[in-house]
């Protein structure tokens, strides 16, 4: 790791290293003004409070958060599409983004000019934490458009003051060429796309370590396992960083991991985080795992109270109320652990909860296998069948070797997931690739 950040680069040292009581004071004040904003201007929250028989005076402080008694969900945002969640006049909306929804109305993220400035601030803090400096050439490979990825990195990078290469998504060969021609030093990418780029580079006969100057990277939008991280770091010769965020809360930059790589700092002057049991909706104990729930503290256009992220993780630095939190990197904002799964990605197989990441971790440990895999679930005579297809790296891998590897993986996966998958080692480049957006790992054929 020749050029990984050797010192901590703060974007806004004062805010990133606030005393805990200063953070608490900001949260107290901002929570109050968010509530007032919601109850004076957001049709959705005015109705919800009425429905619950709640008044503003019932919620006096952050400690009363659970008294709100309801959550805001993705479904609420869909039902109130496009402007039902808005808390400012429509003409004050400066920019909007939407999730790559599957069917029906998309979920919007609406921003005023100040919201965009705030987004730039948190994104700049996060990118700086990932090593971005004004002297970098920063290539942004997520798409620019309704997806919040490209613009999230862009807004932050503008603040940092580096050279921006807004290459956007797809055209992988052109991406590699730009990297070489322009001397890109840092990339932003969706996790699986960074592996795809490495594949394309190798097809082009490009050695990313020798032929490019890319030595830093920030990746997000998909869950990634330690094994993926290990692969990215060896392919690119870099110390990869993990960025978090989603469209309903700005986009990338909500949280980021620091050089310690033990969880992601969340900017607590912008968000209140609860962790709940996704089944009961009750808050779990300190540092216990559950679904992350966010309340925005600065958002003007679309403030959110208790928004369910569907991401499973836990808040670290939280014992004793998190009062003494300070990471080795010097930042005082609490961290959450890596995202273990999404309630969305979770599939039930023979009645057992399962996340694709559980398979990924095991598959990527095998050096002879490529990063592409696919999980096909079918139902035969009311029994769930799972086929996991993984590509070999070598086209000429012997049949006997393929079946030996498949058997070993079947056994290992079975030990972890409580069902018996069938594993097939397929030829390199035989599984469909995603050039734009997130990888599609699970094909569920049960309800067809
Ligand atoms: Zn840290």
């Amino acid at each position: 790791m020749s050029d990984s950040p050797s010192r901590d680069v703060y974007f806004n040292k004062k805010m990133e290293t606030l005393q805990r009581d200063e953070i608490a004071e900001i949260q107290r004040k901002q929570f109050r003004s968010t509530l007032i904003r919601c109850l004076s201007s957001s049709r959705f929250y005015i109705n919800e409070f009425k429905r619950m028989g709640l008044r503003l005076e019932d919620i006096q402080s952050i400690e009363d958060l659970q008294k709100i008694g309801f959550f805001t969900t993705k479904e609420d945002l869909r039902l109130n599409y496009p402007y039902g969640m808005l808390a400012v006049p429509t003409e004050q909306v400066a920019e909007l983004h939407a999730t790559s929804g599957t069917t029906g109305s998309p979920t919007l993220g609406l921003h005023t000019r100040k919201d965009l400035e705030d987004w730039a601030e948190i994104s700049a803090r996060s990118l700086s934490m990932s090593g971005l400096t004004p002297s970098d050439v920063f290539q942004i490979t997520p798409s620019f458009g309704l997806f919040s990825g490209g613009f999230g990195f862009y807004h932050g990078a503008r603040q940092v003051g580096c050279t921006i290469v807004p290459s956007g998504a797809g055209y992988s060969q052109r991406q590699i060429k730009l990297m070489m021609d322009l001397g890109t030093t840092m990339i932003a990418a969706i996790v699986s796309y960074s592996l795809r780029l490495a594949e394309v580079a190798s097809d082009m006969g490009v050695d990313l370590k020798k032929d490019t100057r890319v030595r830093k990277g920030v990746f997000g939008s998909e869950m990634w396992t330690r094994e993926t991280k290990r692969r990215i770091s060896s392919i690119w010769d870099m110390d990869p960083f993990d960025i978090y965020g989603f469209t309903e809360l700005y986009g990338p930059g909500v949280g980021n991991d620091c050089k310690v790589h033990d969880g992601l700092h969340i900017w607590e002057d912008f968000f209140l985080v609860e962790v709940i049991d996704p089944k009961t909706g009750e808050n779990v104990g300190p540092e216990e795992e559950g679904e992350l729930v966010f309340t925005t503290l600065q958002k003007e256009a679309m403030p959110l109270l208790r928004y369910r992220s569907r991401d499973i993780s836990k808040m670290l630095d939280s014992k004793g109320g998190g009062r003494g939190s300070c990471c080795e990197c010097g930042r005082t904002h609490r961290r959450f652990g890596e995202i273990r799964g999404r309630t969305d990605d979770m599939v039930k197989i023979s009645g057992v909860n399962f996340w694709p990441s559980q398979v990924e971790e095991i598959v990527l440990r095998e050096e002879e296998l490529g990063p592409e895999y696919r999980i096909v679930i079918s139902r035969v005579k009311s029994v769930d069948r799972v086929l996991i297809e993984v590509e070999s790296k070598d086209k000429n891998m012997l049949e006997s070797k393929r079946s030996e590897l498949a058997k070993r993986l079947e056994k290992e996966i079975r030990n972890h997931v409580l069902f018996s998958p069938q594993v097939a080692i397929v030829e390199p480049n035989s599984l469909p690739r995603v050039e734009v957006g997130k990888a599609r790992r699970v094909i569920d054929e049960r309800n067809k």
Side-chain angles (χ1 to χ4, degrees), residues 30-265:
Q30 291 299 133
F31 176 60
R32 189 78 199 149
S33 62
T34 296
L35 267 182
I36 291 169
R37 174 180 295 278
C38 286
L39 290 181
S40 60
S41 318
S42 161
R43 196 175 70 216
F44 173 76
Y45 286 114
I46 293 168
N47 289 340
E48 283 297 290
F49 267 65
K50 207 178 275 169
R51 187 174 65 82
M52 301 296 293
L54 275 174
R55 288 164 312 163
L56 180 61
E57 11 341 341
D58 296 326
I59 315 296
Q60 287 294 336
S61 67
I62 292 169
E63 284 67 45
D64 294 333
L65 193 59
Q66 290 174 62
K67 282 194 200 157
I68 292 179
F70 65 89
F71 294 100
T72 311
T73 64
K74 215 176 171 80
E75 193 53 22
D76 292 323
L77 267 56
R78 282 213 186 95
L79 290 171
N80 290 279
Y81 173 86
Y83 295 128
M85 303 296 297
L86 204 56
V88 295
T90 18
E91 59 269 25
Q92 284 181 27
V93 177
E95 186 174 308
L96 60 86
H97 289 277
T99 56
S100 45
T102 40
T103 49
S105 299
T107 316
L108 297 184
L110 305 161
H111 313 288
T112 62
R113 286 183 71 87
K114 177 176 176 294
D115 292 335
L116 291 178
E117 279 162 24
D118 288 346
W119 187 8
E121 161 77 22
I122 57 172
S123 173
R125 289 186 201 171
S126 294
L127 294 177
S128 301
M129 207 192 296
S130 300
L132 186 68
T133 66
S135 54
D136 276 304
V137 179
F138 184 44
Q139 190 164 331
I140 302 174
T141 73
S143 75
F144 284 81
L146 283 175
F147 177 59
S148 58
F151 280 103
F153 288 115
Y154 179 79
H155 289 313
R158 282 279 307 260
Q159 293 301 307
V160 173
C162 59
T163 305
I164 300 173
V165 182
S167 58
Y171 305 103
S172 303
Q173 295 202 355
R174 191 186 67 183
Q175 301 268 14
I176 306 281
K177 182 173 163 26
L178 285 173
M179 254 167 228
M180 294 195 292
D181 295 349
L182 304 173
T184 301
T185 56
M186 178 162 171
I187 57 165
I190 292 178
V191 177
S192 55
Y193 190 62
S194 68
L195 298 173
R196 170 71 188 143
L197 278 175
E199 222 171 45
V200 173
S202 136
D203 288 348
M204 291 166 71
V206 171
D207 181 339
L208 290 169
K209 290 182 205 174
K210 285 206 200 102
D211 304 333
T212 78
R213 293 175 58 210
V214 180
R215 293 293 177 275
K216 295 189 266 191
V218 59
F219 307 94
S221 194
E222 281 173 347
M223 238 165 23
W224 54 340
T225 58
R226 269 163 219 270
E227 281 307 307
T228 321
K229 220 163 262 191
R230 193 184 57 76
R231 278 217 177 179
I232 292 178
S233 96
S234 82
I235 290 170
W236 294 88
D237 187 19
M238 66 165 59
D239 183 19
F241 283 79
D242 191 353
I243 195 163
Y244 178 81
F246 49 90
T247 303
E248 303 91 303
L249 302 179
Y250 307 98
V254 171
N256 207 93
D257 76 334
C258 63
K259 63 171 189 188
V260 179
H261 297 303
D262 185 19
L264 289 80
H265 289 281

Side-chain angles (χ1 to χ4, degrees), residues 258-260 265 327-331 335:
C258 63
K259 63 171 189 188
V260 179
H265 289 281
C327 175
E328 270 174 56
C329 75
R331 294 179 181 86
R335 290 168 293 179

